[in-house]
Amino acid sequence: MAVKVQCSFCEKVLTVPDAARGKAVRCPACETKIPIPLGKDKPLPKKKKDGAQDSSDAIASLDLSKAEAASASICRKCGSDVDEEATECPVCGIDLATGDVGATAKKKARGGPDPDLFFKGLLKDGFKFLGKNQLLAWRSIVYSSVASLLMFGSLFMYLWNSTWPPQYFWALVGIVAALSIPGWYWYLGIETIKLTMEKKDKFKRLNYDFFMSSASGIQSVVWSTLFVLPLQIIPMALAYVMVSIGGYPSFLYAVCASVGYLFLLSMFPIVMSHMSMPITYPGWMIWKIAPIWQRLLKPTVWWTLLTLMLCLPAAGIVGTAAAISGPKVAEIGGVMLNNAAIVRAKYAFENRPKPKKGMAPAQGADPNEELAKKEPADFNLTPTLLPMGLWILACAVQAFMMPVILRMLANFTYYHKSSLDLITRAKEYKYVAKEKLDEDEEGVEKPMQVKDGAVLGGVFVLLGIVGGLLYGSLFEVGIGNGIIWGMCVGSGIGSIVGWIMGVVAAFGVSVAQGFLCLFVPFYIVYFWSKHWEESKVATTVCGTCIVAFVFSSLILFLVVLEPNQPTTDAPPNANQPPAGIAPAIPGAPPGGANPPAAVAPANPAPPAGPPAP
């Protein structure tokens, strides 16, 4: 079999016989000696026997000018043989067409798993993970069922009580119990990602803490609020235009809100990947998550579709419960609220303040009197048993689906770790004299910059605008007025947050600077000017929000709160006499003569006192 080699000097490609392996030939163009590599199974040349013909003499007698290959399949970089249909060199990984590093070599240089393998057997691996952690699903059923019963019991006690201290207590208990369900899955998702990154698939021990789960539930609700408000601006604005101007039905609001929540769900794998790292703050910033989401759109959409498919059974059960028993449960709740109002009215009417001796009773009827005459109505809680049972059934079904969903989420993190911009460890600061630390080290936390402060201030303003838009839509304030009020409130809160960040930075410099910024008015401005590097983020946040606050305040006072000026072209009062003429006194005779004024008695009688009780 012929061997193709390339001259290292003039890059001519030669074809030599197989017998030339292990020898060296000269290039016919530049006379450069070219070594011929041995084959994989080619043994080293044996020592020639006496009388045997030297093979080098036979090779030297070859006419190599006729050995040039018109089309050679050889790597231009390492000279290795490649197949005629190959696009990359199997040895050095170079792209034979462009000369750049090929796709296979790039994957090897990445050092992690191939991201294309994420789509292969994703659902199958999730169910295999469920099979190895079945106890985790049963534990989730117990936790969610207990929390649900506690939530329903707290709701009943809230409706049954009529005074605010017990109502607030039971409302707090119900909220804590309700938050423990999503908080448990939030915590479980983080632990599943950590387990998968260690290339393991079974939990040895996983502790449950009710209050820790409730705290994680608060974390999930706050994150959802921060992300869903910006994502809902465009869909809800479109729905408002279509409903108010186009005359479309009101359920279009729910459709557009669902579109916003789909975007939120598709960003959830990226966010949880950051939440499982030692440095979690990128997961709270939508402007950092959005570019990653755009870069990894295909795997996030695939995970979202599979997650929606796995959530359909539980969603169907909850929807069935709402359709069957929703009106009855709402009616029972209305009766209980009305009974609580009657009890409060009876108590207020029976304990109304008595008039003091010698004082007349208060004029007008007591507003609680009419409601106090009514009696609390009876109600039957039997219709609530079916929705409660269906809710617990939905929790049980979802408890078996969540390990599968979270395993798929963990695989997303595992296969796309290099593209998620994860901060895997915090920056370690070492005080070394005359030595500059490298702040651009990969995988190390980087300090926030001025643009991050500006974006954070803009987030406060944007949240205020969205909140004002919702407030103006729900109440009879007006969309424009609500937006201006919301912008004013949001920028005001952002200014306070920026000031607090500045005070914290001042305490980081020295305790004296911190107390001066805290108690001396406007000293923080001097601190910002002298310590820019330590307070640039706080200064940018506060400055952005102050500009927005001044702008919204000007609009508020000049447009929204402008007093109504009386118009100058109003018709004169018909009863008002012309200028220069005294007004007529009622009962006066015609002709303009006024009757004489009555003379007041010298000693007027004292006014009559209040009637005797």
Side-chain angles (χ1 to χ4, degrees):
M1 180 179 178
V3 182
K4 294 179 181 180
V5 294
Q6 185 179 28
C7 178
S8 59
F9 184 80
C10 65
E11 298 185 352
K12 289 283 186 181
V13 179
L14 309 176
T15 303
V16 297
D18 187 62
R21 290 185 179 274
K23 305 293 183 179
V25 298
R26 291 189 179 275
C27 177
C30 61
E31 299 295 327
T32 301
K33 185 177 290 187
I34 306 172
I36 309 300
L38 288 171
K40 294 181 179 180
D41 300 327
K42 184 75 174 177
L44 292 173
K46 298 180 180 179
K47 187 176 181 180
K48 65 178 182 178
K49 298 180 180 179
D50 296 338
Q53 184 182 2
D54 192 354
S55 59
S56 60
D57 297 337
I59 295 174
S61 63
L62 294 174
D63 186 7
L64 296 179
S65 62
K66 300 180 181 180
E68 295 187 16
S71 58
S73 298
I74 187 172
C75 177
R76 67 176 70 179
K77 181 178 180 181
C78 65
S80 302
D81 293 336
V82 294
D83 295 334
E84 294 182 359
E85 298 180 356
T87 58
E88 298 179 4
C89 176
V91 177
C92 63
I94 192 174
D95 192 323
L96 298 177
T98 62
D100 299 329
V101 180
T104 305
K106 289 181 179 178
K107 292 179 180 179
K108 290 181 179 180
R110 183 170 48 241
D114 186 2
D116 295 336
L117 298 177
F118 168 73
F119 301 95
K120 184 178 180 181
L122 181 62
L123 199 60
K124 181 180 178 181
D125 181 73
F127 280 102
K128 186 183 296 185
F129 178 78
L130 172 63
K132 294 183 178 181
N133 298 273
Q134 292 185 16
L135 182 60
L136 192 64
W138 289 107
R139 289 176 60 186
S140 300
I141 292 176
V142 174
Y143 300 154
S144 58
S145 300
V146 172
S148 299
L149 293 176
L150 185 59
M151 178 179 63
F152 292 140
S154 301
L155 178 60
F156 170 79
M157 294 302 296
Y158 173 82
L159 296 174
W160 184 72
N161 282 278
S162 58
T163 54
W164 65 264
Q167 283 185 332
Y168 287 177
F169 170 77
W170 289 112
L172 179 61
V173 173
I175 291 173
V176 171
L179 289 174
S180 66
I181 299 177
W184 161 248
Y185 290 122
W186 182 280
Y187 166 72
L188 189 59
I190 293 176
E191 294 300 321
T192 305
I193 292 175
K194 293 179 180 179
L195 185 76
T196 305
M197 297 300 289
E198 296 175 359
K199 298 182 180 180
K200 299 178 182 179
D201 56 0
K202 187 175 182 180
F203 285 106
K204 292 183 178 180
R205 183 180 181 87
L206 194 63
N207 296 325
Y208 175 79
D209 190 328
F210 177 80
F211 293 103
M212 184 189 67
S213 297
S214 299
S216 299
I218 296 174
Q219 190 177 8
S220 64
V221 171
V222 172
W223 171 81
S224 302
T225 304
L226 291 177
F227 270 65
V228 78
L229 290 180
L231 294 176
Q232 291 285 15
I233 292 177
I234 297 179
M236 294 304 292
L238 181 62
Y240 175 76
V241 172
M242 295 178 68
V243 173
S244 59
I245 299 177
Y248 287 86
S250 299
F251 72 84
L252 195 62
Y253 284 110
V255 175
C256 293
S258 301
V259 173
Y261 275 101
L262 285 178
F263 284 106
L264 178 72
L265 182 62
S266 62
M267 292 183 178
F268 188 70
I270 305 174
V271 172
M272 290 301 295
S273 301
H274 284 275
M275 293 298 179
S276 62
M277 296 294 113
I279 304 300
T280 62
Y281 74 83
W284 297 92
M285 302 178 180
I286 191 172
W287 59 91
K288 291 183 178 291
I289 298 299
I292 305 174
W293 174 78
Q294 185 179 5
R295 188 164 61 241
L296 300 175
L297 183 61
K298 182 179 178 181
T300 53
V301 170
W302 180 240
W303 179 88
T304 304
L305 292 177
L306 293 178
T307 300
L308 291 175
M309 182 186 68
L310 293 175
C311 291
L312 280 178
I317 295 173
V318 174
T320 303
I324 295 176
S325 304
K328 297 179 180 178
V329 173
E331 181 181 356
I332 295 173
V335 171
M336 295 183 69
L337 287 175
N338 188 46
N339 290 347
I342 292 174
V343 173
R344 285 194 298 269
K346 285 180 176 293
Y347 179 82
F349 183 73
E350 293 174 356
N351 295 275
R352 67 186 184 278
K354 303 294 183 180
K356 295 182 179 179
K357 186 176 182 180
M359 297 294 294
Q363 300 295 326
D366 193 331
N368 297 314
E369 183 177 0
E370 183 177 356
L371 189 59
K373 295 178 180 178
K374 299 181 180 179
E375 295 295 332
D378 296 331
F379 55 89
N380 185 13
L381 294 177
T382 304
T384 62
L385 298 179
L386 177 61
M388 289 175 59
L390 291 178
W391 171 265
I392 294 178
L393 177 61
C395 291
V397 172
Q398 195 62 24
F400 277 93
M401 295 294 105
M402 286 305 296
V404 182
I405 295 173
L406 297 178
R407 177 65 173 187
M408 295 191 302
L409 188 150
N411 282 329
F412 173 87
T413 307
Y414 176 74
Y415 285 105
H416 300 91
K417 179 182 177 181
S418 59
S419 303
L420 289 171
D421 300 336
L422 301 175
I423 303 177
T424 56
R425 61 188 179 91
K427 178 70 176 178
E428 296 181 0
Y429 293 96
K430 297 181 180 179
Y431 295 93
V432 181
K434 298 181 180 180
E435 184 174 327
K436 183 179 179 181
L437 297 178
D438 184 11
E439 295 184 354
D440 297 328
E441 186 179 355
E442 183 180 0
V444 177
E445 179 187 9
K446 298 179 181 179
M448 295 180 67
Q449 302 297 327
V450 174
K451 62 179 182 180
D452 297 326
V455 172
L456 184 58
V459 168
F460 281 103
V461 178
L462 182 61
L463 292 176
I465 292 175
V466 174
L469 176 63
L470 296 176
Y471 179 77
S473 303
L474 297 176
F475 302 95
E476 297 181 358
V477 182
I479 300 296
N481 296 343
I483 291 176
I484 298 301
W485 275 106
M487 182 178 179
C488 187
V489 173
S491 56
I493 295 175
S495 302
I496 296 174
V497 172
W499 176 78
I500 294 174
M501 294 173 64
V503 172
V504 172
F507 273 105
V509 174
S510 68
V511 178
Q513 293 285 348
F515 278 108
L516 287 174
C517 292
L518 187 61
F519 294 108
V520 178
F522 302 107
Y523 181 82
I524 195 169
V525 179
Y526 173 78
F527 174 80
W528 288 343
S529 62
K530 291 297 182 180
H531 301 273
W532 169 252
E533 288 297 327
E534 291 82 0
S535 61
K536 57 185 178 182
V537 178
T539 307
T540 311
V541 173
C542 197
T544 304
C545 293
I546 286 176
V547 171
F549 181 79
V550 172
F551 175 74
S552 58
S553 299
L554 288 176
I555 298 178
L556 187 66
F557 286 105
L558 296 179
V559 179
V560 179
L561 299 180
E562 182 180 5
N564 297 325
Q565 300 293 337
T567 56
T568 57
D569 55 350
N573 191 356
N575 298 325
Q576 185 176 2
I581 300 177
I585 299 176
N594 294 331
V599 180
N603 297 319

